[in-house]
Amino acid sequence: MKINSHVHISIFEGNANNLEESFALLKKDMADNNIDASIVIPDNIENSPNVADLEMAQKLIKDDNRFYLLGSPQIIQRGSSEVRKYEELIKNNVTKGIKFFPGHDPYYPTDERCLPYYKMCEKNNVPILIHTGENSGDSECAKWNDPKYIVEIAQKYPKLKIVIAHYFWPKMDYCYATTKEVENIYFDLSAVADDEVVEMTGGIEKIKGILKKTINDRSDKVIFGTDWPMCDTKKHLELITSMELGKNIEDKIFYKNAIEVYNLPL
Ligand SMILES: [Zn+2]
């Protein structure tokens, strides 16, 4: 079994004419790569024809039980005013956690507008996912999501499960060292096998070395994900299988840890 814990329904490099087609491509990508379920991350930009927001993602997914959703509140535009809305979504099993986009948006993970969401997620035992690292062609934005801030949050909310996306590329070794001792930090491996990420980080062998150390320290806390459609699913599958971790660990990374962290009914 395999769960892709980090996908978007979006139009990327002309792969689709609309979001319905993009969703069809996602289903094809899952069939081609034997992926059984996916966690779709809606964008916090609303009503865009190019990327599905929560409402659109809900509409597309409908009753297809292979798909799960996260919430993505608008911290800049609406501050913490939507905590109740997102709590209802979690309680009604519409969403399995909340994604934050520091670096796409200009706020730090420690921003006080985020704190009520963290408290709510901790209370409801659902994870938060935090976008980290550079954005393609924009190194400045990584200042917003430095793992040192994420460690602060993890210590302030010790029962909150915090998933770091993209391993703060290209400074993965710094991210490893900064988060090493922190129990409630998890990683999804989305984007880490992407060509640009691999090149900027120092090559695939370096990445494998950091991932092996991470998995050695915390095999229950590393989760398969891709960042499809921006990133290629096969490359991410190959990165994991090429580390020859053994079936037991591979199963954890490919699906067991995602089920556990996101409380998936699988
Ligand atoms: Zn993403």
Side-chain angles (χ1 to χ4, degrees), residues 189-208:
L189 300 185
S190 59
V192 302
D194 178 70
D195 288 343
E196 184 188 2
V197 171
V198 170
E199 196 191 320
M200 299 277 292
T201 303
I204 196 74
E205 290 308 319
K206 184 175 174 192
I207 290 176
K208 280 190 208 177

Side-chain angles (χ1 to χ4, degrees), residues 10 43 56 66 75 91 121 125-126 179 185 188 208:
S10 62
D43 208 278
M56 185 60 174
R66 293 173 300 162
I75 300 302
K91 287 189 164 160
C121 286
N125 188 33
V126 297
T179 58
I185 286 184
D188 88 26
K208 280 190 208 177

Side-chain angles (χ1 to χ4, degrees), residues 40-57:
V40 172
I41 300 167
D43 208 278
N44 63 345
I45 299 165
E46 291 170 320
N47 301 313
S48 163
N50 300 316
V51 55
D53 61 12
L54 181 60
E55 202 180 320
M56 185 60 174

